[in-house]
Amino acid sequence: MSQVKKVVLAYSGGLDTSAIIPWLKENYDCEVVAFVADVGQGDAELEGVEAKALASGASACYIADLKEELVADYIFPTLKTGAVYEGKYLLGTSMARPIIAKAQVACALEVGADALCHGCTGKGNDQVRFESCFAALAPQLKVIAPWREWDMRSREDLLNYLAERNIPCSASLEKIYSRDANAWHISTEGGVLEETWNQPNEHCWAWTKDPEEAPDAAELVSVKVEHGQIVAVDGEAMSPYNALVYLNKKGIEHGVGRIDIVENRMVGMKSRGCYETPGGTIMMEALRAVEQLVLDKECFDFRQTIGLKFSHLVYDGRWFTPLCQSLLAAADVIAQDVNGEVVLKLYKGNVTAVQKRSDNSLYSEEFATFGEDEVYDQSHAEGFIRLYSLASRIRALNEQKK
Amino acid sequence: MSQVKKVVLAYSGGLDTSAIIPWLKENYDCEVVAFVADVGQGDAELEGVEAKALASGASACYIADLKEELVADYIFPTLKTGAVYEGKYLLGTSMARPIIAKAQVACALEVGADALCHGCTGKGNDQVRFESCFAALAPQLKVIAPWREWDMRSREDLLNYLAERNIPCSASLEKIYSRDANAWHISTEGGVLEETWNQPNEHCWAWTKDPEEAPDAAELVSVKVEHGQIVAVDGEAMSPYNALVYLNKKGIEHGVGRIDIVENRMVGMKSRGCYETPGGTIMMEALRAVEQLVLDKECFDFRQTIGLKFSHLVYDGRWFTPLCQSLLAAADVIAQDVNGEVVLKLYKGNVTAVQKRSDNSLYSEEFATFGEDEVYDQSHAEGFIRLYSLASRIRALNEQKK
Amino acid sequence: MSQVKKVVLAYSGGLDTSAIIPWLKENYDCEVVAFVADVGQGDAELEGVEAKALASGASACYIADLKEELVADYIFPTLKTGAVYEGKYLLGTSMARPIIAKAQVACALEVGADALCHGCTGKGNDQVRFESCFAALAPQLKVIAPWREWDMRSREDLLNYLAERNIPCSASLEKIYSRDANAWHISTEGGVLEETWNQPNEHCWAWTKDPEEAPDAAELVSVKVEHGQIVAVDGEAMSPYNALVYLNKKGIEHGVGRIDIVENRMVGMKSRGCYETPGGTIMMEALRAVEQLVLDKECFDFRQTIGLKFSHLVYDGRWFTPLCQSLLAAADVIAQDVNGEVVLKLYKGNVTAVQKRSDNSLYSEEFATFGEDEVYDQSHAEGFIRLYSLASRIRALNEQKK
Amino acid sequence: MSQVKKVVLAYSGGLDTSAIIPWLKENYDCEVVAFVADVGQGDAELEGVEAKALASGASACYIADLKEELVADYIFPTLKTGAVYEGKYLLGTSMARPIIAKAQVACALEVGADALCHGCTGKGNDQVRFESCFAALAPQLKVIAPWREWDMRSREDLLNYLAERNIPCSASLEKIYSRDANAWHISTEGGVLEETWNQPNEHCWAWTKDPEEAPDAAELVSVKVEHGQIVAVDGEAMSPYNALVYLNKKGIEHGVGRIDIVENRMVGMKSRGCYETPGGTIMMEALRAVEQLVLDKECFDFRQTIGLKFSHLVYDGRWFTPLCQSLLAAADVIAQDVNGEVVLKLYKGNVTAVQKRSDNSLYSEEFATFGEDEVYDQSHAEGFIRLYSLASRIRALNEQKK
């Protein structure tokens, strides 16, 4: 193994990264700096994380509050594109990886580290996302992926490894479901979900109420959109992160934002997960509702094309690429006209835009009933249709001559 | 006006087409044959339609039962593409137009007519769809679109026109909402919907229960899919049309398939409508669930691309074109592997695939836990990532040298 | 005909627009202002144009020099997208229409006109392009399209019309080929070209030497590109327009840039034309050569997708739309890295990039022969391939189990 | 190394695969069967190849004549899609890989082998293409890629390796350029081409005459196309392979089909090569010329989209996938109308379609000059334009109200 002096580890405080600290020190004979990204995964996960890192042998632990930046600079731009992976997935884990990688790299450069380390397994997407971002941001730094190097294969192995070294760890042996959370979403994998014919059970959902147990009374929430970004909720101006927190509460209460998906991973296999994106699902519906008012047919189609393309780009960890910037620039132009207000109804898992308006609306009663000679003369339709269908007509006449 | 001897009118029995019969005879001095397409719009609309046509002055009335063909040859192929217009609309009216046009043309050729007539208004999509199909199928026939020719502008005008001629008509003066129905869907436009800030009210929904009044108990329904087509429901083999009727009942009961949309019409303006597609929404969810199991990443993406493209094609009335056949052929190949079973839960407006399996599934617990050397070696991931991110790495190294 | 007081006519000095001036005055009883756009069509066409306009009855004639703006703000951005219509056409006429329309509208607003007029025929693209731009820029102005209104159908009709009014006109009765020129290109239609089985003859080419008569000695020309724009040619910094003029001379001499195409017009019919774009063809080849060095696989693919989409947008006259701005923004981001130098060989109709280099090049001998552990380890390929082909492997194993 | 008993090697008779035979026997203690694919690389390469294989230690040598199948089942379908990689490359090497892999797998199954071997290097595309095809066709077979396993790094290493074993080999120490040939094309890489600023020299072109030394007299060749396939040349019906051979001769003589490209490899790096596709370039031009006559605007655009997508699919070695079948099915439908005749002029590197006709042509003088009321009424254009530009008009009116 090549020479490493100081490595910055993306540290979560969980079992895996707790074991990685001593393993790095033993196997690379290097200093280990723990880097913790606060992307809104919740106070429970962050509590005491620094003490844990130091107890595991880290020389230092840095915690970066990335919550506002995550929502403002990664989630909101993605929302403008309308990206949804494979028709369902709102890209919760995917969007958080580039910002964590970027902050981790910044930390590494700050502390003069010569290597980066993450705790992702060798069968998943996240290793690809992290390392693709590392390659784009700091190709000179060595990357260490312990799960692809060591022989440990189970929680038991890890717990034994820590116990042998007298490193305290509160993790339990049994952990049926694996979860990943940030401000935008929480994912649950494993357990009964490993068989696609199994229904998800109550343990597969971590945040949201079961729609069947959500309130019997629907609730309305209003959202204000400017240039494709949510700027106020229920009449109050809010920062992107605060808007998300506010809408998460509403969505969780009404069972909004659950999906149960089998998806194609980047590494060629499929996986199944239950994902919850309560506030995000409301935001998505709100933006799409304003788009209905303001985008013309070609623009709407192109926005959908961008969204489809961007869903792969984000899922595939290609954030720090020219292609990403290009797609974001295209979406940003389209979003300039996406201004308006939407009232959404939340009810037992449903979120429905029931009222919408925009100063940029291309729909208007006034136009629809305009005097004929001013905007639309019904007789124009004949000419439109004749030219529109001319190629079909010529083709058919050709056929008849044969 | 050019010489017309016999015209075949797409007749519905409603006020508009009832007035068109005498108007054609007076203005074109021609024989009028009424053609009624039964696309599943319901017995109420069809009852006594022949008598009505004759009473209005038609020389004959032909009724064609197109229900099974509509579902089998137009809806099911469209479902394979996954087409959804502007992210929401399941193309209910759009898919019915080509089959009606085709049958109407066949009728015209049969009876030796020299013209075709429809009752679509001059601001809508349907005129374009009908006439594009006519152009592709029978360019030699003249097309008459009375709403673009006559001076009548209101229901009152039409009622007076009929009254003056002593033609019986049961239509009422007030008809706030305009509706279009077939086996797949019903649409509602007008009234309070003309202002996008208005919420839809109870009159805006014609078929489905309000989710808030749907049963408190969820219901499961199982669907069997072969080659991208639904072949059985709840364990019973069903024809395409029968499966749709069966699922419509379920969907209606549980408030499934409502959308409230502002969409871009082909003719450049936006319109707003409330559409209900109860069984279709269940079908769509079922097919997409099987796709999750069997399509790889590139195939899934291409199916989505086809779906986006096909949504415009169908919406725009381009069914009888080479492009349509090309897209359908592409979707059909992809659908070959779409085999499996899905159990869906219906609950207060939600339809969720909760169980799914397929013999073609690319997901399998077995593969996911396969021995390392047989299908997937975690160490392979490093090589994958290095090559996958190589261009980013080179670009970044380039930048650092500057 | 509705009331018009002052109309601004896009005036060329040719027979059609010369006849339009008196026709407008007689039929609309209005003042006619002639607007001449100098888009590089050549001195011959512009000579004496003001005198002609006044002699035909115009109250004033404004000439706007749009040459530099055309190349800098319309052609160069289009080149970044790589747009080529239907695989061949470099969009010469299409790109000039929006800038002419924009300047004509500006003139109309300046002189207080209430209408705009153009001399395009009713079967072509240009009427759609002009009027789409007018709709986007000045929807309040009435548009008059004489060729769709009057009864004149031939050059003879027009000459007679002018002769009856004693308006001098040097146009000849016979004009077999119709041409449109600007700084970028010249198009030729009509005559022998109306039958696709006819070869173009010498009259079908207006600018370029026949490759068979071009010099026997090849010539090299070098081009410098910054951010996707040509900034210097043969070592000399040049404005966009000057670079085009310079390269036109070279291309004309070597028979570069001829195409003979049957294309789909917007109005549903096909037309055939011979187009010459000598300098533009060199520019296009130069930009594409630099792109080969700097764009990664995904970026290159997306640039091609944008180019395909933009070719329709420009051809279809949709310049002043949000979609256009969106596509241009996307292309502009990608072009940021398109920096470098290219040497091109011109020889008897061929233009070939024979040398190319770029500071942003992702190709480099150095990388290709890099030590294995630094950028590329051949053993990485195995892992890449295993994951890359994993879905195929699983599908095949599935099949074998059946 | 896992147990291997019999391996089938894709054998070319060149230095690399000659060394692989003894290396496999020594390192895997297995029987080696040589498989030679005749894809039209030329008699020189095939002469004595069996004797060479046996002399190197192969237990048997099978030669499969794949020439006709390559052109008929791989090249012709690809031509229908119009695929061109990164705007230039006609996919010569890429298209040959799947058929070789398929025949090699068939041979392996026939002789009861348990492994497959190829001589591709670890930095190239071909390893990915071969192994992706192997994964799709015979995932149970082990794959051996010596260049990723052994320590040899140069021709000298290989020559020494053979000399030590007394295996005769006529290969020379110096081989500056690396070439790959089949019926469709020949590629040249290495040498002066490794620096992009170097012009290709005479050694970089293997087949075609330098355009500057090609005949001074142009030559015409006529091609007949049915359903997107070339069925006759110069009036004579020919099989796909024979047509290619015939056109290769013509193209070679006139210097047609040279490209000098820097391309993105699948493995993340760029490479530069000079490729010659003389007959293929003529075929491509011929098919595209017929398409101009028969495809309508939307179809043409979709064919281009398919072509762009298919270029990556073929380049990336994904032939044996559902996506490939889907794209081919789409292209095949579009090709149904691609019938006609083209005359092409060959002159000093240029190939130009100078005459074209088709019974399916949507262009026709007759239509273009049709009486107004039959197919195209110029007055229809106004209605078309009004509706076509309606969204722009509404948007502009909106803006003016602000």
Side-chain angles (χ1 to χ4, degrees), chain A residues 122-123 140 194 196-197 212 262 270 292 295 297 316 345 348 350 355-356 363 368 376 388, chain B residues 122-123 140 194 196-197 212 262 270 292 295 297 316 345 348 350 355-356 363 368 376 388 400:
Chain A
K123 284 195 169 184
Q140 74 278 18
E194 287 180 358
T196 64
W197 193 244
E212 300 183 41
V262 175
K270 286 184 178 282
Q292 287 181 16
L295 301 188
K297 200 171 195 289
D316 297 355
K345 179 190 270 195
K348 288 185 176 289
N350 299 285
Q355 297 178 272
K356 47 205 173 204
Y363 174 89
Y376 188 105
Y388 177 80
Chain B
K123 284 196 169 183
Q140 75 279 19
E194 287 179 358
T196 64
W197 193 243
E212 301 182 39
V262 174
K270 285 182 179 283
Q292 288 181 16
L295 302 188
K297 199 170 196 287
D316 296 355
K345 180 190 268 194
K348 287 185 177 286
N350 298 284
Q355 296 177 273
K356 49 204 170 202
Y363 174 90
Y376 189 104
Y388 178 80
Q400 292 183 350

Side-chain angles (χ1 to χ4, degrees), chain A residues 77-95:
Chain A
T78 299
L79 282 178
K80 287 183 195 171
T81 71
V84 181
Y85 185 68
E86 296 195 339
K88 294 266 184 195
Y89 172 36
L90 296 186
L91 296 164
T93 299
S94 322
M95 289 189 295

Side-chain angles (χ1 to χ4, degrees), chain D residues 179-386:
Chain D
R179 296 210 155 89
D180 177 71
N182 58 47
W184 179 252
H185 106 316
I186 186 162
S187 65
T188 302
E189 295 181 304
V192 301
L193 297 175
E194 287 180 357
E195 164 55 57
T196 64
W197 192 244
N198 288 343
Q199 289 199 28
N201 62 33
E202 65 198 298
H203 305 294
C204 301
W205 306 106
W207 282 359
T208 52
K209 269 200 186 158
D210 186 331
E212 299 182 41
E213 288 162 20
D216 289 330
E219 185 177 1
L220 297 181
V221 60
S222 80
V223 167
K224 188 171 178 197
V225 177
E226 282 181 9
H227 306 313
Q229 303 203 118
I230 289 164
V231 295
V233 185
D234 279 344
E236 200 174 329
M238 293 190 195
S239 76
Y241 174 68
N242 288 338
L244 180 55
V245 169
Y246 183 96
L247 291 172
N248 271 341
K249 269 188 215 148
K250 301 279 186 190
I252 284 168
E253 179 68 11
H254 290 282
V256 165
R258 293 182 164 195
I259 67 159
D260 167 13
I261 189 178
V262 174
E263 83 203 35
N264 285 296
R265 284 198 187 145
M266 303 173 62
V267 293
M269 62 172 54
K270 285 183 179 282
S271 65
R272 191 223 190 153
C274 282
Y275 304 156
E276 294 158 86
T277 319
T281 301
I282 301 171
M283 286 183 164
M284 183 65 89
E285 180 72 10
L287 290 175
R288 302 292 80 87
V290 180
E291 282 185 359
Q292 287 180 17
L293 298 178
V294 301
L295 302 187
D296 65 34
K297 200 171 194 290
E298 286 72 28
C299 238
F300 203 113
D301 180 52
F302 186 54
R303 207 276 300 141
Q304 290 183 290
T305 301
I306 290 176
L308 183 51
K309 209 161 180 59
F310 203 70
S311 72
H312 285 274
L313 187 137
V314 174
Y315 191 88
D316 297 355
R318 296 195 181 276
W319 192 274
F320 300 111
T321 60
L323 180 55
C324 177
Q325 297 311 310
S326 176
L327 288 163
L328 288 178
D332 206 53
V333 169
I334 292 174
Q336 287 317 299
D337 281 348
V338 180
N339 304 305
E341 280 173 276
V342 188
V343 176
L344 304 114
K345 179 190 271 194
L346 312 180
Y347 175 68
K348 288 185 177 285
N350 298 284
V351 51
T352 315
V354 291
Q355 295 178 273
K356 47 205 172 201
R357 64 181 168 200
S358 167
D359 288 347
N360 299 95
S361 180
L362 300 181
Y363 174 88
S364 115
E365 232 182 310
E366 188 189 356
F367 285 127
T369 57
F370 243 30
E372 301 217 335
D373 54 339
E374 296 202 54
V375 169
Y376 188 105
D377 178 342
Q378 295 204 24
S379 74
H380 287 149
E382 184 188 357
F384 177 80
I385 297 166
R386 290 292 293 203

Side-chain angles (χ1 to χ4, degrees), chain C residues 123 194 196 270 356 363 368, chain D residues 123 194 196 295 356 363 368:
Chain C
K123 285 195 167 182
E194 286 179 359
T196 65
K270 286 184 179 283
K356 46 205 172 202
Y363 173 88
Chain D
K123 285 195 166 182
E194 287 180 357
T196 64
L295 302 187
K356 47 205 172 201
Y363 174 88

Side-chain angles (χ1 to χ4, degrees), chain B residues 108-120:
Chain B
L109 298 179
E110 180 81 18
V111 303
D114 49 2
L116 299 161
C117 180
H118 62 72
C120 312

